Amino acid sequence: MELFTEKFLSDKLGISQQAISNALKLIPCESKKVEGSAKPVKHYKFDDLPDRYKEKLRELGVKLKDEIKENKTTNISKANFTKKYLLAHPDKQKLAITKCRLIDFYKKRNSTLNQKQWLEQTLKNDISFDILGKVSVKQLNDWIRKYKEAEDKGLNIVESFIDSRGAVKGVKALNEIQKETAERYFLRASRPRISEIYRNMCHTFGDAMPSYDALNNYFREWKRKNPVLFEFSKSPDSAKNKFLAAYGSADAKATYKNQYWELDSTPADVICDDGKRYTVLAAIDVFSRRVVFHVADTSSAYSISQLLRKAILKLGIPENVVIDNGRDYTSNHFETICTNLKINMNIVPPFSGDCKPHVERVFGTLARELFEQIPGYIGHSVAERKELQSRKSFADKIKAQEKWRKEQALKTDEEKKVFRDAWKIKKENIGLDLTILESADGLQSWIDNWVDKLYEQREHKGIKTKPINKWNSDSTPVESIPDIRMLDLLLGESVIRRVGKKGIAYDGCNYAHIDLVEFTGHHVYIMAGRDMGYVLVYDENMNPICIAEDLEHMGKDRYAVRGAKKKSQQLMRQMDKIIKEAQAIKDVTIMDRIDAVRDVIETKTVAVTKHTETVDRLLNDSIMFEEKDKKELETSNRYDFKQKDEEGKPTKILPSGRPTFNSYFDRFLWDLKNNMVDDTTKKLAAKYPDIWEMAEKEAKVG
């Protein structure tokens, strides 16, 4: 029992020690020696103190040793519950806790009342004890005894009051081996067929297999106890969406613009006028949510480099890119780009859309808002596509098929081989709106306008402001490349090639230069951009050598040539015309809203040069190459007598006799006007007769 001295009570209650002594004259006390006092000091029990003193001490937070012990023992919130409590029915748990509360309340009762009076008064005044029903004095004493026994043995007091009567819940007919077998069947199929599983298990266990109902009940019980595992067996993505913890904010890592970009690609839910379903690539700035889209045939290293080119010209160069581990993103080409521009690659595991949430969401927003209102929309899924098809009546489908068959009957065998418009009448396209289809360029245009006029100009829920305002509010300067031609080189391919006797063979071209002669047989490092006509050449120590040229391919788009080779294999499957008469669009669509927007917030971007080793070297090398051309021009003995300088003298030209051309058309036209048609020109003219014919017509007009 806790004892208090007069001095302690005086200091705690703020009453003079004399007043305390007078008030406690008639209260029994114990005299004990206290360190520092020559005489024994009076000590008073807490229970013997006046009620006003007790209440005041409790208000001041004075804890008695007995109360502290009781709290440690009976604090239900901190009880170390075991299987018995956790498996009990919630009603039994609540009943046990209420009995413990009643006993705790009894131990602190007013001693002026006997047990019966206290029990009647407590049950009458406190409705929280109604769950106990009518409690007799005998029951109360039994509970007190059970409470004290559990307390003395150090057992969990609440669990001592759990009613363990009744059957244990759960399916007991199946043994452990049968349960493990059933669970493997449950996990193998996204939608388990219990009847088939039961037949398989009957074949395995024979007469020892319980009834079908026992297996079905166990499946329900297992599904209830393992919701995450069951959902994951059906669909990992669905399980992540439903159960993956989503604490914190995914954009907390981005504190300024261009700190983090997320890159991804997805097939567009729209068929274009050539019958193809293109891929849409996206790069989104996590800080501001500004986004750039690029429409391409497929997701490849080249299409990603084109996306980066477009995004860098609009937003600048990012510090980090978050990508998945697909072959297009982990290719040598993409890694070289990131190395040249000093961009950190953050690669996330496969099927981890939650690691790139912002680009995933913007794809969904684009599809819901724009794609659903564009002709040629085919739905976000197979199920939605079937719903779109079902809107057309069966008669309309038959009519469309009959019309197509009649048109085919009038065509020649040669025309039929081309399968004109055949893709539109395919079974999977019947019933879809395939009128006024957009081209790939048209789709790109609508996406860009949607981004610039709608998406960036409205409040984004994630950042609570408009993306364009979020971007403009950050004064951090963006890093960029001032020269687009230099950017194309940095986004191009960087490879190592061996110098042969005819120069450098790469991508079907032969690049030559006088300075490469001494490097014959050696490996060199080249940077190849879009223009097939030239490459930058470096030695093994990355010292610049020259700009090697292939005049036959000067001005030709490297990637367009590759695409043409691939596309030529698909020409027989493409249609040669589209629907001639377009149906009038009466209702307002999102495209009308985009065209109607006039008040657009302009971008405020501060651009600075991105300084990396590759960029700085390229800047210095470009100056050196210009100086080398000047030296060649000074030593050249050739002149262009048709071009006069300010003094009226003919101007010098390079030893090759021709200027640099952007296309074959420019070269043909220059050769015709300057009577420079030689064997090389004739070979090119035979190879490209259409371009040669156009140049001849232009030369005659000129």
Side-chain angles (χ1 to χ4, degrees):
M1 180 63 68
E2 190 79 357
L3 299 175
F4 300 96
T5 64
E6 292 179 355
K7 187 177 185 308
F8 174 85
L9 294 174
S10 176
D11 294 338
K12 204 69 178 174
L13 300 176
I15 303 173
S16 68
Q17 193 167 341
Q18 184 61 44
I20 295 288
S21 180
N22 293 334
L24 301 179
K25 276 184 179 180
L26 302 177
I27 301 297
C29 63
E30 295 180 17
S31 296
K32 293 184 179 182
K33 289 185 177 181
V34 177
E35 187 176 352
S37 177
K39 296 181 180 180
V41 177
K42 294 180 180 180
H43 287 70
Y44 302 89
K45 295 181 180 179
F46 179 84
D47 291 340
D48 295 334
L49 294 176
D51 290 341
R52 63 182 185 277
Y53 285 5
K54 292 180 184 178
E55 293 174 2
K56 188 66 174 177
L57 289 173
R58 284 200 173 96
E59 290 176 2
L60 294 173
V62 175
K63 293 287 185 181
L64 305 180
K65 290 181 180 179
D66 292 342
E67 289 181 346
I68 294 173
K69 182 180 179 181
E70 289 175 2
N71 287 338
K72 288 182 179 179
T73 307
T74 62
N75 190 342
I76 296 168
S77 64
K78 298 181 181 179
N80 184 21
F81 294 128
T82 59
K83 187 175 181 181
K84 181 179 179 181
Y85 175 84
L86 296 175
L87 294 181
H89 192 275
D91 291 342
K92 292 185 177 182
Q93 294 175 352
K94 187 176 181 182
L95 188 63
I97 293 172
T98 307
K99 290 178 181 178
C100 292
R101 284 184 56 249
L102 180 67
I103 297 169
D104 288 338
F105 201 53
Y106 171 78
K107 294 172 70 175
K108 300 174 184 177
R109 74 191 188 285
N110 188 340
S111 59
T112 59
L113 297 176
N114 60 35
Q115 275 190 329
K116 185 176 181 181
Q117 292 174 334
W118 176 87
L119 187 59
E120 291 176 351
Q121 184 175 325
T122 301
L123 296 178
K124 179 180 179 182
N125 296 332
D126 195 335
I127 61 174
S128 65
F129 295 120
D130 288 354
I131 189 175
L132 300 175
K134 188 177 181 180
V135 181
S136 65
V137 175
K138 182 180 181 304
Q139 282 179 312
L140 177 62
N141 289 323
D142 289 342
W143 293 345
I144 293 172
R145 186 179 65 257
K146 184 184 291 188
Y147 188 102
K148 192 171 186 316
E149 288 176 355
E151 192 175 33
D152 293 339
K153 294 178 181 179
L155 303 177
N156 188 296
I157 297 176
V158 175
E159 288 192 348
S160 300
F161 286 87
I162 292 291
D163 186 359
S164 58
R165 293 174 296 176
V168 179
K169 290 194 173 183
V171 176
K172 297 181 291 183
L174 296 172
N175 60 38
E176 293 303 319
I177 297 177
Q178 291 169 342
K179 288 180 179 180
E180 291 177 3
T181 305
E183 289 173 12
R184 290 196 297 271
Y185 279 115
F186 298 158
L187 294 173
R188 285 191 186 118
S190 59
R191 296 183 180 276
R193 294 180 63 87
I194 306 302
S195 58
E196 288 300 315
I197 295 175
Y198 180 70
R199 293 188 183 99
N200 292 336
M201 292 184 67
C202 284
H203 181 78
T204 302
F205 296 103
D207 295 338
M209 182 65 193
S211 66
Y212 168 84
D213 290 337
L215 178 64
N216 195 31
N217 291 336
Y218 181 68
F219 172 65
R220 293 177 183 176
E221 179 183 314
W222 176 86
K223 186 168 60 172
R224 176 177 56 82
K225 291 181 178 179
N226 302 275
V228 179
L229 184 59
F230 177 64
E231 190 67 32
F232 198 89
S233 68
K234 293 195 300 180
S235 170
D237 290 337
S238 176
K240 288 181 180 180
N241 291 334
K242 289 183 179 180
F243 301 107
L244 187 65
Y247 304 124
S249 175
D251 61 356
K253 62 185 178 182
T255 57
Y256 51 87
K257 56 191 176 188
N258 288 344
Q259 185 180 9
Y260 284 93
W261 284 8
E262 291 179 359
L263 307 183
D264 205 355
S265 56
T266 185
D269 299 325
V270 176
I271 293 178
C272 290
D273 59 2
D274 56 0
K276 290 182 61 176
R277 187 180 176 189
Y278 285 84
T279 296
V280 179
L281 298 93
I284 187 170
D285 175 47
V286 176
F287 171 78
S288 66
R289 301 299 201 279
R290 294 192 72 192
V291 64
V292 176
F293 291 103
H294 175 62
V295 177
D297 287 342
T298 58
S299 178
S300 63
Y302 167 64
S303 60
I304 296 172
S305 70
Q306 292 302 101
L307 169 69
L308 281 177
R309 181 183 190 274
K310 184 176 179 181
I312 288 172
L313 291 175
K314 181 177 181 178
L315 305 177
I317 301 174
E319 292 183 10
N320 304 274
V321 289
V322 183
I323 56 176
D324 57 35
N325 65 345
R327 288 187 302 173
D328 42 1
Y329 290 100
T330 56
S331 64
N332 291 333
H333 185 184
F334 184 74
E335 288 185 8
T336 302
I337 292 173
C338 292
T339 301
N340 290 341
L341 296 174
K342 282 196 174 178
I343 300 173
N344 299 318
M345 298 169 57
N346 297 334
I347 303 176
V348 301
F351 309 108
S352 300
D354 53 291
C355 297
K356 299 187 274 79
H358 306 99
V359 70
E360 297 281 352
R361 287 175 193 147
V362 79
F363 275 137
T365 304
L366 174 69
R368 289 189 299 272
E369 290 194 12
L370 184 62
F371 289 167
E372 288 185 4
Q373 299 189 48
I374 287 184
Y377 171 65
I378 60 172
H380 304 309
S381 62
V382 175
E384 188 172 352
R385 189 171 189 176
K386 289 182 178 179
E387 290 179 5
L388 290 170
Q389 292 172 331
S390 65
R391 295 176 188 173
K392 289 280 187 178
S393 67
F394 182 76
D396 290 338
K397 296 178 184 179
I398 298 301
K399 184 178 180 181
Q401 290 175 334
E402 289 178 352
K403 181 180 179 181
W404 179 75
R405 291 193 185 99
K406 290 179 181 178
E407 291 178 354
Q408 289 296 102
L410 299 175
K411 294 178 181 178
T412 63
D413 292 339
E414 184 177 353
E415 288 176 324
K416 290 180 181 179
K417 291 180 181 179
V418 184
F419 296 104
R420 304 180 72 180
D421 299 336
W423 67 271
K424 288 186 178 181
I425 208 67
K426 285 182 181 179
K427 180 181 179 181
E428 59 266 29
N429 290 331
I430 295 294
L432 299 178
D433 181 10
L434 300 179
T435 57
I436 328 176
L437 297 172
E438 293 288 344
S439 64
D441 292 337
L443 180 62
Q444 179 71 74
S445 178
W446 281 117
I447 293 175
D448 291 342
N449 280 296
W450 174 79
V451 171
D452 295 336
K453 295 185 177 182
L454 294 185
Y455 176 79
E456 289 191 348
Q457 306 294 323
R458 69 179 181 221
E459 181 172 323
H460 191 287
K461 292 181 180 180
I463 58 177
K464 310 301 182 185
T465 185
K466 299 177 181 179
I468 192 67
N469 288 341
K470 181 80 170 181
W471 176 274
N472 292 338
S473 67
D474 182 22
S475 59
T476 305
V478 301
E479 296 180 318
S480 187
I481 302 297
D483 188 352
I484 294 181
R485 186 176 178 182
M486 186 186 304
L487 178 62
D488 287 338
L489 283 170
L490 291 166
L491 293 176
E493 299 168 348
S494 302
V495 295
I496 296 175
R497 286 293 183 270
R498 187 173 182 176
V499 181
K501 61 182 181 180
K502 293 184 179 181
I504 300 172
Y506 177 67
D507 214 4
C509 303
N510 284 311
Y511 297 98
H513 195 279
I514 190 68
D515 292 344
L516 288 177
V517 175
E518 59 183 290
F519 289 92
T520 302
H522 291 76
H523 286 88
V524 294
Y525 182 85
I526 66 173
M527 292 181 66
R530 291 186 65 120
D531 194 332
M532 294 186 72
Y534 69 94
V535 293
L536 273 65
V537 186
Y538 297 82
D539 63 16
E540 292 180 346
N541 297 320
M542 288 303 295
N543 297 315
I545 299 175
C546 63
I547 301 179
E549 298 179 347
D550 183 334
L551 295 179
E552 291 189 11
H553 294 86
M554 190 69 71
K556 203 163 187 178
D557 191 317
R558 184 183 310 276
Y559 303 109
V561 171
R562 293 179 185 175
K565 291 179 181 178
K566 184 177 180 180
K567 197 170 184 179
S568 63
Q569 301 173 358
Q570 304 172 352
L571 289 178
M572 292 301 294
R573 298 193 298 268
Q574 292 181 347
M575 66 176 191
D576 62 351
K577 68 175 184 178
I578 61 173
I579 302 297
K580 296 181 179 179
E581 297 181 357
Q583 297 178 352
I585 302 176
K586 298 180 182 180
D587 297 325
V588 174
T589 68
I590 194 169
M591 292 178 273
D592 299 317
R593 287 159 47 205
I594 292 175
D595 286 335
V597 173
R598 296 291 180 268
D599 187 13
V600 177
I601 301 173
E602 299 296 332
T603 305
K604 297 178 181 178
T605 302
V606 180
V608 297
T609 302
K610 172 80 173 186
H611 288 285
T612 70
E613 294 177 4
T614 308
V615 174
D616 293 339
R617 184 183 297 115
L618 196 56
L619 285 168
N620 296 329
D621 294 348
S622 62
I623 297 173
M624 191 198 72
F625 289 134
E626 290 179 4
E627 293 177 353
K628 185 176 288 190
D629 286 344
K630 288 181 181 179
K631 290 181 180 178
E632 290 184 4
L633 193 63
E634 290 175 358
T635 59
S636 175
N637 295 324
R638 304 196 63 173
Y639 292 86
D640 185 359
F641 293 92
K642 293 183 180 180
Q643 300 292 332
K644 308 291 183 179
D645 57 15
E646 295 180 356
E647 298 179 0
K649 297 179 180 180
T651 58
K652 277 187 176 183
I653 59 176
L654 294 173
S656 63
R658 291 185 178 89
T660 301
F661 301 107
N662 294 324
S663 66
Y664 286 127
F665 177 81
D666 293 339
R667 171 170 177 169
F668 291 158
L669 188 61
W670 189 89
D671 285 354
L672 288 168
K673 288 185 177 181
N674 295 277
N675 295 322
M676 289 285 289
V677 179
D678 53 14
D679 292 339
T680 303
T681 305
K682 291 178 181 178
K683 289 180 181 179
L684 291 173
K687 191 174 182 180
Y688 305 101
D690 294 339
I691 300 177
W692 172 256
E693 185 178 348
M694 292 171 59
E696 281 187 322
K697 292 180 180 178
E698 182 70 19
K700 290 179 181 179
V701 174

